[in-house]
């Protein structure tokens, strides 16, 4: 049995998710999983980077190193929970922490931190990282990358379905029986604005089940202003991140309205997420019968309730119904992408990323040494 580890720490920065899986007989077999929080200092440094605060090259380099050590620690803690050892793991797939993603600039680039060299050395396991840039080299947006995995394991030709990832950013995969008909893109913010607002006002990491948002009322004026953001009108394929949707972006819109209650802002941010997702699905997948949510936002019952309201003709549920825990989908996807890379198989879908062709995704870091 070939074993792979997937590591994911997304734009929500809920923590580091690591999973040990096998893909024997084209089935997902979850052996063990492990989640651990970011050290407080590291998370604070990452938030500063994502908010566009001034920093130094030395600081970025130190974060790159520290992240790799944290990822390695997560791998070691994961393996300790099993009867396996590092020599039995064929490869690690580590997405890294995205600190800036700019696929539409004059000189497109993306930046993920978490040194793959160091991760490979500290674990003793071949590591695949830097997944996005080869797709971008072929004129793709470098994201989202999970749709290829969704197509391979979560598709069902009997049902028109959408896989909805609710991390910091929301992205959808519109599934079809044929690769070339799969479409996936970032719809806009999911948790990033809601998390940032509740952290700023209440010092909490997130709004559990959307209860604070539910206590407020949607400010229609603010919602309509935010929906004017040009990204929502941009045609797919497209991708975005916290370099656009952040507190500075929110404050720019708050300046245009009069007095407001903090809980009403939270309610409006949740509604922005629900409306922007629903609009995208209605435009690009009007025949959708079911939406399966994954990521941390899949546990936000208020958000799923609002999605059900805006997409009344579709079943709204989570990937748990498909046999895959919502919080583990992305980590599994990068374990699968690592398997694809070490076997020299393509990992992207051009219909999703906009790349000119299918390519190998990821750079291999092998900890082989010589005497």
């Amino acid at each position: 049995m070939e074993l792979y580890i997937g590591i994911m720490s997304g734009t929500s920065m809920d923590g580091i998710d690591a999973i040990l899986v096998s893909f024997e007989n084209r089935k997902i077999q979850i052996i063990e999983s492990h989640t651990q929080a970011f050290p407080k200092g590291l998370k604070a440094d990452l938030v500063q980077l994502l908010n566009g605060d001034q920093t130094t090259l030395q600081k970025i380099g130190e974060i790159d190193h520290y992240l790799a050590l944290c990822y390695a620690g997560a791998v070691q803690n994961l393996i300790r929970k099993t009867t396996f050892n590092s020599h039995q793991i064929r490869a690690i797939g580590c997405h890294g922490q995205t600190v800036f993603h700019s696929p539409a600039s004059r000189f497109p680039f993306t930046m993920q931190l978490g040194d793959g060299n160091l991760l490979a050395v500290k674990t003793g396991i071949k590591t695949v990282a830097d997944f996005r840039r080869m797709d971008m080299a072929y004129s793709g947006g470098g994201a989202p990358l999970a749709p290829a995995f969704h197509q391979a394991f979560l598709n069902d030709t009997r049902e028109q379905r959408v896989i909805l990832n609710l991390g910091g950013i929301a992205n959808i995969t519109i599934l079809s029986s044929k690769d070339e008909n799969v479409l996936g893109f970032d719809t806009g913010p999911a948790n990033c604005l809601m998390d940032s607002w509740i952290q700023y006002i209440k010092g909490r990491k997130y709004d559990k089940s959307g209860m604070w948002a539910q206590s407020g009322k949607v400010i229609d004026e603010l919602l309509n202003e935010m929906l004017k953001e040009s990204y929502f009108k941009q045609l797919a394929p497209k991708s975005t991140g916290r370099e656009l949707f952040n507190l500075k972006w929110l404050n720019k819109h708050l300046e245009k309205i009069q007095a407001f209650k903090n809980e009403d802002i939270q309610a409006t941010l949740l509604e922005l997420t629900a409306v922007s997702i629903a609009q995208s699905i209605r435009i690009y997948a009007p025949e959708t019968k079911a939406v399966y949510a994954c990521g941390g936002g899949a546990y936000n019952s208020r958000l799923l309730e609002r999605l059900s309201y805006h997409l009344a003709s579709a079943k709204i549920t989570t990937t748990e119904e498909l046999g895959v825990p919502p919080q583990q989908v992305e980590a599994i996807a990068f374990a699968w992408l690592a398997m694809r890379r070490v076997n020299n198989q393509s990992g992207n879908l051009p219909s999703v990323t906009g790349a000119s062709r299918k390519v190998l995704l990821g750079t291999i870091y092998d900890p082989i040494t010589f005497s």
Side-chain angles (χ1 to χ4, degrees), residues 93-106:
C94 180
H95 176 269
Q97 185 65 44
T98 298
V99 293
F100 210 93
H101 183 63
S102 185
S105 62
R106 181 186 176 193

Side-chain angles (χ1 to χ4, degrees), residues 283-297:
I283 291 169
Y284 289 95
E287 303 301 317
T288 296
K289 300 301 181 187
V291 176
Y292 297 90
C294 59

Side-chain angles (χ1 to χ4, degrees), residues 349-365:
L349 290 179
S351 62
V352 170
T353 66
S356 60
R357 63 191 66 190
K358 291 185 178 181
V359 295
L360 297 175
L361 295 183
T363 301
I364 297 175
Y365 300 87

Side-chain angles (χ1 to χ4, degrees), residues 121-361:
V121 169
K122 292 298 182 181
T123 60
I125 303 169
K126 183 181 295 184
T127 295
V128 185
D130 189 15
F131 283 95
R132 296 194 188 196
R133 291 196 293 176
M134 185 59 78
D135 181 87
M136 294 181 74
Y138 279 93
S139 303
L145 298 179
F149 167 75
H150 298 158
Q151 171 68 5
F153 291 100
L154 304 181
N155 193 24
D156 189 331
T157 56
R158 297 168 297 178
E159 179 182 70
Q160 179 76 27
R161 60 177 53 164
V162 166
I163 307 300
L164 168 62
N165 178 51
L166 294 167
I169 298 296
N171 53 68
I172 60 174
T173 304
I174 301 164
L175 289 175
S176 171
S177 60
K178 296 181 179 180
D179 273 4
E180 59 266 26
N181 292 328
V182 176
L183 181 63
F185 58 92
D186 294 341
T187 62
N191 303 319
C192 62
L193 294 176
M194 290 186 285
D195 289 354
S196 293
W197 185 245
I198 198 169
Q199 287 168 17
Y200 176 66
I201 298 298
K202 290 180 168 286
R204 298 182 194 166
K205 292 181 180 179
Y206 63 98
D207 184 11
K208 187 175 181 180
S209 298
M211 294 302 294
W212 192 40
Q214 190 166 0
S215 73
K217 296 181 179 179
V218 173
I219 305 169
D220 291 331
E221 178 189 0
L222 176 60
L223 177 62
N224 292 334
E225 274 296 319
M226 292 191 294
L227 285 169
K228 291 178 183 178
E229 167 61 50
S230 61
Y231 182 79
F232 297 125
K233 299 177 180 64
Q234 187 178 326
L235 296 177
K238 58 182 179 177
S239 58
T240 188
R242 289 180 67 146
E243 63 281 344
L244 173 59
F245 294 107
N246 52 42
L247 273 181
K248 290 181 180 178
W249 182 87
L250 174 59
N251 287 329
K252 178 183 68 175
H253 292 286
L254 290 179
E255 291 171 358
K256 299 177 182 179
I257 66 172
Q258 301 301 316
F260 54 79
K261 293 181 179 179
N262 292 327
E263 60 268 28
D264 292 346
I265 301 299
Q266 189 74 357
T268 307
L269 293 175
L270 185 145
E271 192 71 3
L272 173 68
T273 293
V275 168
S276 56
I277 291 168
Q279 285 181 346
S280 294
I281 292 174
R282 284 198 300 268
I283 291 169
Y284 289 95
E287 303 301 317
T288 296
K289 300 301 181 187
V291 176
Y292 297 90
C294 59
Y299 302 102
N300 187 327
S301 54
R302 178 60 175 171
L303 177 55
L304 297 190
E305 180 183 311
R306 294 307 297 161
L307 281 169
S308 293
Y309 173 82
H310 290 293
L311 295 169
S313 62
K315 175 178 70 175
I316 309 295
T317 184
T318 76
T319 55
E320 195 77 56
E321 192 169 311
L322 303 179
V324 186
Q327 193 65 39
Q328 297 175 358
V329 172
E330 283 202 295
I332 296 171
F334 281 92
W336 180 75
L337 286 169
M339 181 191 73
R340 299 283 294 182
R341 179 62 186 88
V342 297
N343 287 298
N344 291 318
Q345 296 172 315
S346 64
N348 65 332
L349 290 179
S351 62
V352 170
T353 66
S356 60
R357 63 191 66 190
K358 291 185 178 181
V359 295
L360 297 175
L361 295 183

